[in-house]
Amino acid sequence: VPPPMSVDLLVAMMQPAVVVGLFSFILSMSIVRTFSLKYDYATDSNQELLALGVANIAGAFFLSYPVAGSLSRSALVAAGCGPDCTPLHGLFTALLVLLVLMVLTPTFRPMPRACLASIVFMAVKSLFDTSKAHFLYRIKTTGATPCRTHAPRRTHASACS
């Protein structure tokens, strides 16, 4: 049973609500930007904010958790169908999740969580571009070392060696 509504309760819940809303927007926009750079499409942060707001207002009538983007789910979908994915995939995913929850939950219960985590990890792994890190690691940086300000006494004028 929810507590009766009062002004004190509304004021007390304002700060956590703003923090959760801001965090979910930042998380969702980071996911959107990651995939927009990967698949080269334009994004609109106003449209994303409007969609999150409408989804959270609609979810409030059904006592849902706050709505936000899911990096692991988005990475899994992108690994499965890539740029050819349509918005209709969300409906099929929801139906599949509902079917799995209703029929196969007892089958997945004894499965170790590490096994489920490995599925998510393999999907998220595709988002990291290790070739750039490898390139930066291989760059020769001997010419970019900083000069020592308290160098030992030298015979030449420069403090850099």
Side-chain angles (χ1 to χ4, degrees), residues 13 59 62 72 76 134 160:
M13 295 302 291
F62 301 100
S72 58
L76 191 61
H134 188 268
C160 292

Side-chain angles (χ1 to χ4, degrees), residues 20 26 35 43 53 71 87 99 141 150:
V20 168
I26 291 170
F35 285 103
T43 61
L71 180 61
L99 179 72
T141 58
H150 300 290

Side-chain angles (χ1 to χ4, degrees), residues 18-67:
V18 169
V19 170
V20 168
L22 186 63
F23 182 75
S24 74
F25 176 66
I26 291 170
L27 176 70
S28 296
M29 280 309 300
S30 67
I31 295 168
V32 166
R33 295 253 167 93
T34 299
F35 285 103
S36 71
L37 289 174
K38 186 172 184 173
Y39 295 114
D40 193 34
Y41 60 84
T43 61
D44 182 10
S45 57
N46 291 329
Q47 183 181 9
E48 187 71 23
L49 184 61
L50 179 67
L52 284 171
V54 169
N56 278 314
I57 289 171
F61 293 107
F62 301 100
L63 301 176
S64 73
Y65 285 107
V67 175

Side-chain angles (χ1 to χ4, degrees), residues 36-140:
S36 71
L37 289 174
K38 186 172 184 173
Y39 295 114
D40 193 34
Y41 60 84
T43 61
D44 182 10
S45 57
N46 291 329
Q47 183 181 9
E48 187 71 23
L49 184 61
L50 179 67
L52 284 171
V54 169
N56 278 314
I57 289 171
F61 293 107
F62 301 100
L63 301 176
S64 73
Y65 285 107
V67 175
S70 170
L71 180 61
S72 58
R73 182 176 174 268
S74 299
L76 191 61
V77 169
C81 61
D84 300 326
C85 215
T86 65
L88 197 57
H89 82 277
L91 176 66
F92 292 120
T93 302
L95 292 174
L96 182 64
V97 167
L98 183 65
L99 179 72
V100 166
L101 286 175
M102 295 184 79
V103 177
L104 299 176
T105 299
T107 307
F108 288 128
R109 191 174 306 275
M111 185 181 291
R113 292 194 179 170
C115 182
L116 295 173
S118 67
I119 295 169
V120 172
F121 177 76
M122 292 306 291
V124 172
K125 186 182 91 166
S126 68
L127 295 176
F128 296 104
D129 186 11
T130 55
S131 64
K132 289 180 184 176
H134 188 268
F135 171 75
L136 291 174
Y137 178 75
R138 290 181 14 183
I139 293 176
K140 188 173 182 177

